[in-house]
Amino acid sequence: MSADAKKVAGELRAQLPEPHGPVLPGDRQRLLKEHLMNEIHQVQVLTGKAPQTVRPRRNRAWYAVPVGMVAAGALAFTFLAGPGQSGGDTGYHLSAAPVVKVEVGSADGVGALMENVAQHAAEGPATRVGKNQFVYVRSHYSNMQADVGNPLKLKTYYRETWTSQNPEKVQSRLKQPGDDIIWSAPRAGEEGYLEDLRNQTYAALQALPSDPDALLKKLRADAAYSGSSDQWLFEYVGGLIRENILPPETGAAVYRAAAKIPGVVVVEKAQDGDGRPGVALARTDERTHERKELVFDANSYDYLGLRAYLVQDTELGRKGTVTELQAVLDRGVVDSRDETPKK
């Protein structure tokens, strides 16, 4: 290359942006990576495409699925609405992540709290869920948005899910701002994926072990599809609760099993995503210093929602910065993907 050519190339290179853009601090990279990997795992579940060495993490919370990733997968899908036409609201709200007081958690009250929650679940009516019906859940939800060089932000919106009980036919629906999507049955040969879906139906949940120790062993094996940490186990259990309907006996066993997960604590003063007060079963991720709380009403012991936040200052944000919120507003069984539960 001549001297003049090198000079021109250098001038052009100087006008281009840095190849990788701004670099996130270490803690911010780690926590955002955790959230990104969780979303990727959801796509792997919905598309039936998972790494050969790591099974998908089957959290029941749904996420907006990137179109390019879904298009390469095994599911047929249909978009029913464009941005601003779904999710139970006209859109979403983006705001700075709030900072909450980090209450001291205690392991001493875990057994008593979860026994109360388990007894309440066991005494509840057994919901009849037919094979051709759908479990409907409407939530007020907030998730973390990356904003390089600026304080953390939360995207807040309403979302609705219809979870099919018959994976061999047309399946589930997700409706939220910008997304109104129906997933259809996978192609022939996706038996492993079908089995995963069958394991999440009401009938399959009803068949889970009712003994807490036996159930915990099975749930730990399931959670180990994407790792073997106690935090993943805690989040897997939370995923069973958040957008599902548990049979009474199964629900009682799940809550008693949750009390046995190492590192769980009770937080006496907690709030769900809508600010409703409650008491929480919580666990802190040792890697990211993020605490996740499953919030229950302190009197009825109904599940209210989720709250997650940092328990110490990190490069992602200061102590108490909220990273995720959920408030369950409605839950029931319906006959089609266009219905909501009757009041």
Side-chain angles (χ1 to χ4, degrees), residues 113-127 202 206 210 212 246-256 296 300-303:
L113 170 64
M114 298 317 290
E115 183 57 33
N116 287 334
V117 175
Q119 288 182 14
H120 170 67
E123 293 167 359
T127 304
Y202 186 89
Q206 204 166 27
S210 58
L246 296 177
E249 190 173 12
T250 302
V254 166
Y255 294 126
R256 290 179 175 124
F296 300 90
S300 70
Y301 299 109
D302 288 328
Y303 174 75

Side-chain angles (χ1 to χ4, degrees), residues 5 14 27 45 92 100 127 138 142 157 165 171 176 185 197 240 250 275 283 300 305 320:
D27 283 354
V45 172
Y92 62 84
V100 300
T127 304
R138 181 172 182 262
S142 299
Y157 51 93
Q165 302 299 296
Q171 295 161 15
Q176 62 186 23
L197 290 177
L240 291 177
T250 302
R283 195 180 191 285
S300 70

Side-chain angles (χ1 to χ4, degrees), residues 7 13 44 66 98 127 195 270 276 296 323:
K7 180 180 179 181
R13 190 180 303 113
Q44 291 168 350
T127 304
E195 186 62 26
R276 296 178 295 189
F296 300 90
T323 58

Side-chain angles (χ1 to χ4, degrees), residues 313-333:
D313 292 344
T314 74
E315 291 179 336
L316 179 66
R318 65 188 181 95
K319 180 179 179 179
T321 299
V322 174
T323 58
E324 186 179 10
L325 293 167
Q326 181 212 22
V328 175
L329 305 178
D330 196 9
R331 192 190 302 258
V333 180

